[in-house]
Amino acid sequence: MPREAEPSANEKAFLLKALQDEQIRLDGREFDQYRPLELTFGDEYGVANVSLGKTKILAKASAEVTVPFADRPLDGIFTIATELSPMAAPHFEVNRPTETEVLLSRLLEKTVRRSGALDTESLCLVAGQKCWSVRVDVHVLSHDGNLTDAACFAVVAALRHFRKPDTSMENGVLTVYTPAEREPVPLGWLHSPFCVTWSFFGEEGETALLDADWMEEQVRVASVTISLNRHGEICQIAKLGGVPVEAVALLQCTSVALTKVKEFSTYLDDKLAEDAKRRDKGGFMAELRAENDRIVG
Amino acid sequence: MATVTPEASLNALPRADGSARYSYAGYTVTASVNGPIEAQRRDEHAYEAHVDVIVRPSAGVGGTRERHLEFILQSSLSQIILVKNFPRSVIQIVLQVESTPENAYVNTKLVQASLNLPIIPALFQTAVLALLSAAVPMKATATSTVVAVVSDDGSKKIVADPSPQDIREATSLHVLAFTSHDELLLSESEGDFTVKEWDGVYENAQKICCQTASKQDGIDMVLDDDASSPDMRHFLRSTLETKVASDLHWK
């Protein structure tokens, strides 16, 4: 497939000069300002459409009953699939993962899966025999930089919006109810981690920008992705290569990241509440609900 | 919540040459078109452009079913794109399925290797819209529909745009596509049917796909006889007219 055109030397110099001498970003944003983040839920449960400026991501969560892994009989299966198609940008190829794709899937894995955001033990139905396999498919529709933050937000939003079919166990017989028989139930969710990516510019990485777009991403000298939840619990910090950055600067980045994550968290809660209100059948259906209220932190 | 009338938006994706989002009868598909672009060695053809169709399911990885859909779409779209104009290049069409109609009475399985005819019109329509938005030269536009033959107490009934329930009960299912010159472009069938039934299906589908051709003077006349089946050609036209009008707004 065709190679992506790199920015010309002039474009690079212009961007850097504007950043360092004039303290201005090309799109006029503040250094620690995100592009407008928008989230819409689909008609189905577990579909989140996220757009961060021109970056557009669709995440879809789905669940089915399978056999658990032999070495983990008490855990359900949780996978995040990120496959970049040529839709995101023509230089991505089908079935040939690029570096971007590998890094993205590993970061999401570390942030959402390994931080224990989803309670995988609650996905177990019959120990060693039956469990839920929850899968989130991340579809990048348009790539304009900062895929990590947008994808992470989309995954968390999709999983928190998702409802899996209700089940019951009677005399060793497992019944999976269809949505018509019983209201689907939400997943066991423990905390909501979000990614915040900083990009560094200049010879020693002295300028730090939040939410770099595609142009800025091509010019940056280093980047660091911090994943944390609203309580300030850091799940991971990934700084993969690039120029070294001072520890003090990193600490500062982390504290700004916390305020951003709190904003994300509130925004997501508001959107979920709004969607729940839209779907709320009220009255009798609310009375018939089988699940307990879960406090989501 | 299936949409009653088809809906489409063009150029939703800023990075692609052309793109479209189309939703109808519970299906929502987003398509992007890039082209003509440089071909890889294995796709390069000395005399014509290679039409590369990629179908991606909303959940799970694509399998034989998606490859089959890709094959059907690729062979019919190469017929209408002027492939001879772009030797040694690729026209890349990526179709991302966003949602499919839900059935509250069945729990869906993720991996289904079965044939999936009802999704073809949505994929096809989105691809044509995206091709138009990318300004890829074409011989003609095309419209597509799915028709089911349902046996109703011994007598056979033809249902256009069948619901998942109808599809389950149908004796046969047909997907047809017509070009804007009223020529049959694609015909895929599944199930048991007679030649007579197929003729009925053909007539019905042609009516849905090719209605405006004879009624170009009045748009209002289209909605007279049966409101149940939308007029696809008129829809395609009005979508593009809206797009062109908004693009030329500055004039």
Side-chain angles (χ1 to χ4, degrees):
Chain A
M1 289 298 119
R3 264 184 57 200
E4 184 71 19
E6 279 179 27
S8 66
N10 275 347
E11 279 178 299
K12 284 184 192 171
F14 182 72
L15 189 143
L16 287 175
K17 192 145 174 65
L19 269 184
Q20 280 162 354
D21 298 353
E22 315 285 333
Q23 309 282 311
I24 289 175
R25 281 171 94 161
L26 288 196
D27 51 5
R29 273 184 289 154
E30 299 290 320
F31 280 13
D32 59 350
Q33 192 185 355
Y34 264 85
R35 288 170 284 174
L37 178 72
E38 258 172 63
L39 166 70
T40 44
F41 291 113
D43 289 334
E44 295 169 72
Y45 280 121
V47 179
N49 232 318
V50 171
S51 71
L52 185 65
K54 282 181 184 170
T55 298
K56 287 181 203 297
I57 289 182
L58 175 81
K60 187 187 161 92
S62 48
E64 62 175 353
V65 179
T66 45
V67 182
F69 293 125
D71 54 337
R72 296 193 148 269
L74 296 174
D75 276 350
I77 301 169
F78 173 42
T79 41
I80 303 173
T82 40
E83 206 186 326
L84 298 175
S85 68
M87 185 179 265
H91 68 275
F92 292 118
E93 248 180 281
V94 189
N95 298 329
R96 187 172 297 177
T98 54
E99 198 189 84
T100 331
E101 186 181 324
V102 176
L103 291 183
L104 177 66
S105 68
R106 290 210 44 185
L107 269 174
L108 290 179
E109 189 99 332
K110 278 198 273 184
T111 307
V112 184
R113 213 166 82 99
R114 298 244 291 269
S115 75
L118 180 69
D119 179 16
T120 47
E121 274 180 32
S122 71
L123 299 175
C124 179
L125 295 168
V126 184
Q129 286 173 30
K130 291 259 162 56
C131 72
W132 282 109
S133 161
V134 175
R135 179 191 171 92
V136 192
D137 288 85
V138 180
H139 304 296
V140 179
L141 303 182
S142 165
H143 176 17
D144 190 38
N146 206 4
L147 282 186
T148 322
D149 297 8
C152 183
F153 187 80
V155 168
V156 172
L159 282 169
R160 284 190 53 187
H161 188 247
F162 184 60
R163 302 278 186 278
K164 66 178 181 347
D166 200 6
T167 51
S168 76
M169 215 30 206
E170 250 174 75
N171 306 328
V173 182
L174 177 77
T175 321
V176 180
Y177 295 100
T178 62
E181 289 166 336
R182 275 196 196 176
E183 268 297 287
V185 292
L187 299 169
W189 193 251
L190 301 175
H191 73 127
S192 303
F194 297 99
C195 291
V196 174
T197 304
W198 285 94
S199 302
F200 298 97
F201 295 82
E203 251 156 51
E204 283 154 18
E206 58 272 10
T207 316
L209 297 191
L210 209 57
D211 184 31
D213 64 17
W214 177 233
M215 181 69 193
E216 288 166 340
E217 269 189 13
Q218 284 170 301
V219 180
R220 72 185 177 194
V221 291
S223 74
V224 59
T225 302
I226 306 163
S227 310
L228 67 172
N229 61 18
R230 65 180 317 159
H231 308 298
E233 292 160 345
I234 294 177
C235 309
Q236 62 100 21
I237 295 184
K239 182 166 180 320
L240 311 161
V243 299
V245 175
E246 287 204 28
V248 184
L250 268 187
L251 281 177
Q252 232 159 19
C253 290
T254 318
S255 64
V256 177
L258 179 58
T259 59
K260 292 291 165 194
V261 163
K262 280 180 181 158
E263 281 171 31
F264 285 159
S265 211
T266 326
Y267 179 68
L268 179 57
D269 288 346
D270 289 351
K271 279 282 170 184
L272 282 168
E274 199 178 286
D275 188 73
K277 204 180 246 176
R278 188 171 64 88
R279 283 168 194 274
D280 188 18
K281 296 180 190 102
F284 199 52
M285 280 319 281
E287 292 285 311
L288 285 175
R289 229 159 45 113
E291 91 242 28
N292 294 322
D293 286 327
R294 187 181 279 274
I295 297 138
V296 179
Chain B
M1 278 177 269
T3 40
V4 186
T5 49
E7 273 174 38
S9 62
L10 296 183
N11 276 355
L13 309 177
R15 297 248 3 228
D17 288 346
S19 59
R21 188 167 190 267
Y22 172 82
S23 55
Y24 179 55
Y27 289 101
T28 305
V29 182
T30 300
S32 78
V33 169
N34 284 302
I37 53 174
E38 182 191 337
Q40 270 188 321
R41 198 80 162 283
R42 57 159 198 259
D43 296 331
E44 197 173 275
H45 193 293
Y47 301 107
E48 58 182 45
H50 173 73
V51 178
D52 188 15
V53 182
I54 300 159
V55 176
R56 291 166 56 87
S58 59
V61 276
T64 34
R65 184 172 62 163
E66 277 68 33
R67 297 295 93 76
H68 180 238
L69 290 173
E70 283 168 13
F71 172 75
I72 293 173
L73 289 167
Q74 195 238 358
S75 49
S76 41
L77 289 171
S78 333
Q79 296 291 321
I80 55 170
I81 299 169
L82 292 171
V83 282
K84 291 263 184 332
N85 286 12
F86 307 103
R88 297 179 184 278
S89 53
V90 166
I91 293 164
Q92 190 181 54
I93 305 166
V94 188
L95 294 153
Q96 174 70 59
V97 180
E98 283 188 21
S99 65
T100 49
E102 274 177 285
N103 192 346
Y105 296 93
V106 195
N107 276 317
T108 45
K109 284 288 277 180
L110 212 59
V111 187
Q112 288 170 317
S114 62
L115 193 61
N116 188 1
L117 287 185
I119 201 173
I120 294 180
L123 294 173
F124 195 86
Q125 218 73 55
T126 325
V128 170
L129 283 167
L131 283 166
L132 286 167
S133 118
V136 172
M138 291 194 282
K139 269 187 211 120
T141 58
T143 46
S144 170
T145 192
V146 56
V147 175
V149 179
V150 185
S151 71
D152 187 21
D153 301 328
S155 64
K156 296 282 173 77
K157 197 174 69 174
I158 293 172
V159 183
D161 297 314
S163 65
Q165 182 73 12
D166 288 335
I167 290 169
R168 226 152 25 114
E169 289 166 5
T171 52
S172 67
L173 196 64
H174 311 264
V175 173
L176 292 99
F178 292 86
T179 65
S180 47
H181 306 309
D182 295 359
E183 290 157 339
L184 184 65
L185 182 64
L186 165 75
S187 164
E188 289 283 329
S189 304
E190 184 185 16
D192 295 334
F193 56 94
T194 60
V195 176
K196 199 162 162 262
E197 273 168 25
W198 193 86
D199 286 340
V201 164
Y202 176 81
E203 252 171 56
N204 229 294
Q206 196 178 28
K207 209 165 112 197
I208 298 167
C209 290
C210 310
Q211 226 164 17
T212 23
S214 53
K215 294 176 186 171
Q216 275 177 347
D217 45 346
I219 298 163
D220 296 326
M221 288 172 68
V222 187
L223 300 163
D224 50 3
D225 40 16
D226 59 329
S228 62
S229 56
D231 169 9
M232 295 316 293
R233 192 176 288 174
H234 175 237
F235 164 72
L236 199 69
R237 202 183 172 84
S238 64
T239 310
L240 281 157
E241 272 170 359
T242 321
K243 171 76 181 123
V244 170
S246 70
D247 281 355
L248 297 180
H249 180 67
W250 57 276
K251 272 199 168 173

